[in-house]
Amino acid sequence: MMTTEAGPRIAILGGGIGGLAAAAFLRDKGFHSDVYEQAPALTEVGAGLVIAPNAARLLRRLGVLDRFVERAVQMEIGWEFRRWENGAVLSAENLQDGCKRLYGEHTYTAHRADLLNALRSAVPEHSLHLGRRCVSVEFEGDQAVLRFEDGDTVRPDILIGADGVHSRVRSAIVGPAQTRESGICAFRALVPARKAPEFARRHAQTLWIGPDRHLVHYPVSGGEYVNLVAFAPAGASSVESWTATATLEELLDEFDGWDPRLVELIRSADTPGRWALLDREPLDHWNRGNATLLGDAAHPMFPFFAQGAAQAIEDGAVLALCLAKDPDSPSAALGRYEDLRRHRTARLQQVSHGRSHINHLPDGPEQQARDLAYSQDDPLRANGWIYDYDPEVAVSAAV
């Protein structure tokens, strides 16, 4: 194996949340990595996200949580389910007290750019290579080879594919992605807080659920904006892209007849983005030779458990720990990383998928039974298997 003085040459394709998290955790364990990002600047598209205790704990270990919370919003209420037609509260969780007591950290909401900036602060500037568009990933035996638009070729000792749902590394490892249409599209938008109704400015993660649709909102950017994410039946014009847009009228049409307060909130939004949710089965494997995957490249999941970013951060932590345990045998380290992560992320893919049916039930007996169950559930404790996860414990137990 060819190495530098600092260890194996590690290339990370993709400078989003997963790629930067991996680079930060690798640096924390004494490894240098090179992050190749096709965009000329690290500007995260999209809008808001939730950082639950399992991810907040890892941001603290990286030493970036304080920076993150400068712009993040600490949640006081979560899993606040409301009925579509009148806003009746079906259930709500006290996150202000419960998260810290049960899991040692709070739950936060934030704009994606603020999380990206916090992670970037833990990665040296010389590790970031912007404006580097990869045009192919091929294997020469067990050696992954990256070829870039500028003609450069990179042959790393370890390749980490953090290049999202349309990952070139994933295609090279497992072949073209097998996808099917989910029948659901998502809208995302931001509302300036000064225009938002008071109920939407609360430090609460609120989910309005109704027939075939649901809408989530919470404050981001230090409370300057309210983030909206809405889900509705997919139309023929929906594509899987963070940059596609809809009109505000189209979004309003989807929620015509819903509680007037929610309609007022939507009406104050900026131009919404719109993308289709494609359905992907969990992978049987995501390693090949000296290459592996993380984040959406490995396990894209429906956003209904708000764990996409958190799982990418966990991936980076576990991968770095596995390499630190076995730095002279990267193939064994990558194998251990895949074994540790694949089953957990597959379970989250599956439960997130199931939520799409539960949240969109038509009014009737099944919906009434769901609402009753929500009123009796304690999701903060029920999701302990998600929030309690500790990468260091997982890796130590596997060695």
Side-chain angles (χ1 to χ4, degrees), residues 126-155:
H126 66 263
S127 293
L128 303 177
H129 308 278
L130 305 180
R132 300 294 304 278
R133 182 172 180 271
C134 179
V135 294
S136 74
V137 179
E138 300 170 351
F139 279 88
E140 296 175 354
D142 286 337
Q143 170 71 61
V145 180
L146 302 174
R147 291 186 170 83
F148 292 87
E149 192 173 46
D150 61 6
D152 192 17
T153 298
V154 174
R155 290 179 169 82

Side-chain angles (χ1 to χ4, degrees), residues 293-367:
L293 303 172
L294 62 72
D296 284 347
H299 43 72
M301 59 187 66
F302 286 1
F304 304 141
F305 265 75
Q307 276 287 310
Q311 293 308 302
I313 293 169
E314 286 186 8
D315 286 346
V318 172
L319 180 54
L321 286 163
C322 288
L323 286 169
K325 288 282 186 181
D326 207 351
D328 296 322
S329 182
S331 61
L334 296 185
R336 185 175 297 116
Y337 156 71
E338 182 192 278
D339 287 343
L340 286 169
R341 294 299 299 159
R342 191 162 51 82
H343 299 292
R344 174 171 168 81
T345 57
R347 182 181 177 188
L348 270 162
Q349 285 178 286
Q350 291 161 354
V351 297
S352 297
H353 188 281
R355 181 74 70 172
S356 64
H357 169 71
I358 295 170
N359 283 350
H360 295 176
L361 290 173
D363 285 350
E366 194 177 1
Q367 162 262 321

Side-chain angles (χ1 to χ4, degrees), residues 5-348:
E5 291 182 358
R9 296 175 302 172
I10 303 173
I12 301 172
L13 191 62
I17 291 168
L20 290 186
F25 282 112
L26 286 166
R27 180 174 184 246
D28 184 61
K29 295 301 179 185
F31 296 98
H32 171 77
S33 62
D34 289 294
V35 180
Y36 297 94
E37 167 57 43
Q38 66 178 353
L42 287 181
T43 54
E44 181 68 54
V45 296
L49 47 73
V50 176
I51 291 296
N54 54 315
R57 190 179 304 115
L58 295 178
L59 296 182
R60 184 180 296 281
R61 288 182 186 174
L62 277 178
V64 302
L65 184 64
D66 288 346
R67 178 171 182 143
F68 173 67
V69 299
E70 290 174 2
R71 295 283 291 166
V73 179
Q74 182 182 312
M75 288 293 95
E76 298 172 2
I77 301 169
W79 302 105
E80 183 184 76
F81 287 95
R82 288 177 175 254
R83 180 160 167 76
W84 68 278
E85 62 181 351
N86 58 16
V89 176
L90 306 176
S91 69
E93 287 286 315
N94 180 349
L95 301 186
Q96 175 73 27
D97 299 328
C99 282
K100 186 74 172 181
R101 184 181 72 254
L102 292 172
Y103 306 115
E105 294 289 353
H106 292 290
T107 291
Y108 302 91
T109 55
H111 194 285
R112 289 175 178 270
D114 295 325
L115 175 58
L116 198 73
N117 288 337
L119 291 169
R120 182 174 184 169
S121 70
V123 179
E125 284 297 318
H126 66 263
S127 293
L128 303 177
H129 308 278
L130 305 180
R132 300 294 304 278
R133 182 172 180 271
C134 179
V135 294
S136 74
V137 179
E138 300 170 351
F139 279 88
E140 296 175 354
D142 286 337
Q143 170 71 61
V145 180
L146 302 174
R147 291 186 170 83
F148 292 87
E149 192 173 46
D150 61 6
D152 192 17
T153 298
V154 174
R155 290 179 169 82
D157 297 312
I158 298 171
L159 171 62
I160 301 169
D163 48 338
V165 293
H166 300 294
S167 170
R168 288 188 179 276
V169 183
R170 176 183 174 127
S171 294
I173 290 175
V174 301
Q178 297 298 312
T179 63
R180 61 178 179 268
E181 294 182 3
S182 69
I184 302 170
C185 76
F187 297 83
R188 54 178 170 79
L190 291 170
V191 177
R194 67 182 185 278
K195 296 183 178 181
E198 186 280 330
F199 75 86
R201 299 196 301 269
R202 296 173 305 138
H203 289 195
Q205 174 205 17
T206 300
L207 302 91
W208 297 71
I209 55 177
D212 294 326
R213 291 162 177 79
H214 80 277
L215 185 147
V216 184
H217 62 75
Y218 46 77
V220 296
S221 302
E224 293 180 19
Y225 292 93
V226 174
N227 181 69
L228 304 184
V229 186
F231 303 91
S237 61
S238 300
V239 296
E240 189 182 42
S241 170
W242 280 101
T243 57
T245 60
T247 66
L248 187 57
E249 288 71 23
E250 287 173 311
L251 179 53
L252 284 166
D253 285 345
E254 294 290 353
F255 292 89
D256 183 39
W258 286 48
D259 187 302
R261 293 171 295 175
L262 182 63
V263 174
E264 177 190 357
L265 176 63
I266 296 172
R267 199 179 300 281
S268 301
D270 60 12
T271 299
R274 176 174 57 191
W275 75 102
L277 298 185
L278 294 186
D279 210 356
R280 292 177 170 86
E281 292 293 331
L283 292 174
D284 293 329
H285 70 282
W286 65 54
N287 287 355
R288 177 180 173 184
N290 67 332
T292 193
L293 303 172
L294 62 72
D296 284 347
H299 43 72
M301 59 187 66
F302 286 1
F304 304 141
F305 265 75
Q307 276 287 310
Q311 293 308 302
I313 293 169
E314 286 186 8
D315 286 346
V318 172
L319 180 54
L321 286 163
C322 288
L323 286 169
K325 288 282 186 181
D326 207 351
D328 296 322
S329 182
S331 61
L334 296 185
R336 185 175 297 116
Y337 156 71
E338 182 192 278
D339 287 343
L340 286 169
R341 294 299 299 159
R342 191 162 51 82
H343 299 292
R344 174 171 168 81
T345 57
R347 182 181 177 188
L348 270 162

